[in-house]
Structure formats: structure tokens, C-alpha cells
């Protein structure tokens, strides 16, 4: 995977240890952990450890984390990650978050579009999945806009926030991407 992926509003790039402060600044918001697997409370140590692990994982081709930065500023304001790259079965799982103050600007929709394209064209995946917790309409919208289809509900899949929660599983196949039926 490329270290930098350039878009219109945003660029995506591999993380450096110096990004830890900005990642911590935005990821520590409980609104981020509520609908993701980002830990809460989120410390600077979490951010540093995540960056180090992401660097090793990318070298091994196991998973990739890209920082999201606005074209106008080099600050990392969110993360989009391709986890659990399964080379034999050519699939991986997509996750993302953005700092609250930047929500609603279309940046994550673009980040998903860029990463999906890289996953099919560079990583040669056949299938990308994404897991959404109930009550996350923004994330559902982003995935649908990018051609993902709801494939089912994994009932009581995770214990989070002191209760069992369902997961909505979304999937996008290489053939759907190639047809580009969903493209704007
Ligand atoms: C999910 C998240 C990344 C979305 O960020 P964002 O900046 O709002 O994303 P975008 O602006 O690219 O797109 C959001 C879309 O959802 C829509 N949307 C937002 N809130 C909505 C709601 N309550 N109901 C329906 N649609 C909604 C927006 O209108 C937009 O669609 P549009 O571009 O067609 O208008 C952000 O809310 C976040 O970081 N949440 C916490 C972490 C998280 O949930 N990550 C995803 C885990 S699966």
C-alpha cells in the first residue's frame, strides 16, 4: 500500500510518532469510543502504542492505518484503518473515526472512497467488510454511498458499554466496485 494517498479535500498518510498528540486530542472524546473499538479513557500512551504497532503491521502487510489530514493542514484529525488483511482469502475489514469538530464535512466519505480503491487496485482484495454498531446513521450512510451492502446482523456480537450489542455487517465485493454502479 502507498504511504500517501492524495484526495481532493484530504490526504491519507501513514502515521509518525509525532502524530500521537493530535490523535490523542481527538480520539480521547467519548463520542469516538462509543461507536468504535477505540479504548476509553484514551491516553497519549494508547496513541503512541497504536502508531508503533501500525508501523510494524504495515511493514508485515498485516494491517494499515492512515491518518486523515485536511489538504490545508498537516494535523492528523482522524484515522482510517484496514484491519485483518487476509491474503489467502483476499479480504480485510475497514474502520474509521474523525475528530468531532470536523464531522459533516464529507471527509470520511472521501477517505473511504480512497481506501476502497487502494484495497481493490493495490492490495488486490476481493472483499472488504465493515462493522457498524446500532445507532450510527452517519457511518451507515458513508458505507452505502460507497457501495457497501448490509449483509446481516451479528446478534450480541460484542460486550461493550456494559451490555451485549449487535453488529451490522457491511460488505463490498471487487465485482461491485468494478461495476461502479454506486459511483456518483
Ligand atoms: C462516523 C463518522 C466517521 C462520520 O464522519 P462525518 O464527518 O460525519 O462523515 P461524512 O461527512 O463524510 O459523511 C457522513 C454522512 O452521514 C450523514 N449523516 C450524518 N448524521 C446522520 C444522521 N443522524 N442520519 C442520517 N445521515 C446522517 C451525513 O449527512 C453525510 O452524508 P452526505 O454526505 O450524503 O450528506 C464520525 O461521526 C465519527 O468519527 N464517529 C465516531 C466513530 C465512528 O462511529 N466510526 C465508525 C465506526 S463503524
Amino acid at each position: 500500500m502507498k504511504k500517501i494517498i492524495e484526495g481532493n479535500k484530504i490526504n491519507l498518510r501513514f502515521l509518525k510518532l509525532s502524530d500521537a498528540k493530535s490523535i490523542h486530542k481527538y480520539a480521547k472524546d467519548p463520542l469516538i469510543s462509543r461507536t468504535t473499538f477505540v479504548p476509553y479513557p484514551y491516553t497519549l500512551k494508547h496513541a503512541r502504542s497504536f502508531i508503533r504497532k501500525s508501523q510494524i503491521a504495515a511493514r508485515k502487510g498485516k494491517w494499515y492505518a492512515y491518518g486523515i489530514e485536511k489538504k490545508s493542514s498537516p494535523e492528523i484529525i482522524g484515522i482510517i484503518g484496514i484491519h485483518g488483511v487476509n491474503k489467502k482469502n483476499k479480504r480485510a475489514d475497514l474502520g474509521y473515526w474523525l475528530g468531532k469538530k470536523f464531522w459533516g464535512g464529507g471527509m470520511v466519505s472521501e477517505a473511504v472512497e480512497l481506501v476502497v480503491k487502494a484495497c481493490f487496485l493495490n492490495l488486490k482484495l476481493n472483499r472488504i467488510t465493515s462493522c457498524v454498531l446500532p445507532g450510527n446513521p452517519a457511518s451507515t450512510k458513508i458505507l452505502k454511498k460507497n457501495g457497501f451492502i448490509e449483509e446481516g446482523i451479528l446478534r450480541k456480537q460484542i460486550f461493550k458499554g456494559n451490555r451485549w450489542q449487535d453488529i451490522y455487517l457491511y460488505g463490498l465485493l471487487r465485482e461491485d466496485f468494478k461495476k461502479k454502479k454506486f459511483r456518483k
Side-chain angles (χ1 to χ4, degrees):
M1 289 288 271
K2 286 182 191 165
K3 288 182 178 174
I4 300 174
I5 305 177
E6 292 195 26
N8 292 323
K9 291 184 193 143
I10 52 156
N11 289 334
L12 305 176
R13 63 163 173 82
F14 281 3
L15 301 169
K16 306 177 282 200
L17 262 184
S18 54
D19 297 319
K21 269 191 184 165
S22 50
I23 292 174
H24 172 246
K25 177 165 124 190
Y26 298 115
K28 71 181 181 193
D29 187 330
L31 279 174
I32 303 296
S33 62
R34 195 175 57 90
T35 48
T36 62
F37 299 105
V38 172
Y40 186 80
Y42 191 83
T43 63
L44 193 55
K45 207 171 154 190
H46 281 122
R48 288 205 186 100
S49 160
F50 177 77
I51 294 167
R52 280 196 205 97
K53 284 180 188 164
S54 77
Q55 292 168 336
I56 296 166
R59 278 199 293 276
K60 292 185 176 169
K62 291 194 164 181
W63 55 273
Y64 302 89
Y66 285 96
I68 303 172
E69 62 181 16
K70 287 200 281 183
K71 285 272 183 187
S72 53
S73 152
E75 184 191 32
I76 295 300
I77 57 171
I79 302 283
I80 181 159
I82 308 144
H83 304 281
V85 176
N86 182 319
K87 288 178 186 161
K88 180 170 175 274
N89 296 302
K90 293 182 179 292
R91 60 176 152 79
D93 197 53
L94 185 67
Y96 40 79
W97 62 262
L98 188 74
K100 168 80 174 77
K101 73 183 228 195
F102 304 99
W103 288 7
M107 285 187 274
V108 179
S109 300
E110 186 182 347
V112 170
E113 188 177 346
L114 293 169
V115 163
V116 159
K117 197 171 167 193
C119 283
F120 288 127
L121 300 185
N122 304 342
L123 270 186
K124 309 285 181 200
L125 296 184
N126 273 335
R127 167 175 167 77
I128 306 170
T129 51
S130 193
C131 293
V132 183
L133 283 163
N136 195 349
S139 190
T140 303
K141 180 88 183 279
I142 290 167
L143 293 171
K144 285 186 175 167
K145 263 168 60 176
N146 276 286
F148 283 76
I149 289 169
E150 188 188 314
E151 296 182 342
I153 301 170
L154 309 175
R155 295 179 304 154
K156 296 192 175 177
Q157 174 77 353
I158 56 159
F159 191 74
K160 185 174 165 60
N162 243 354
R163 62 197 166 101
W164 290 103
Q165 295 202 39
D166 299 339
I167 291 273
Y168 289 79
L169 180 67
Y170 282 82
L172 177 67
L173 300 182
R174 182 181 191 79
E175 62 224 52
D176 302 334
F177 172 77
K178 278 169 83 180
K179 280 185 220 151
K180 292 188 173 180
K181 270 188 181 165
F182 57 90
R183 314 298 268 187
K184 290 160 259 164

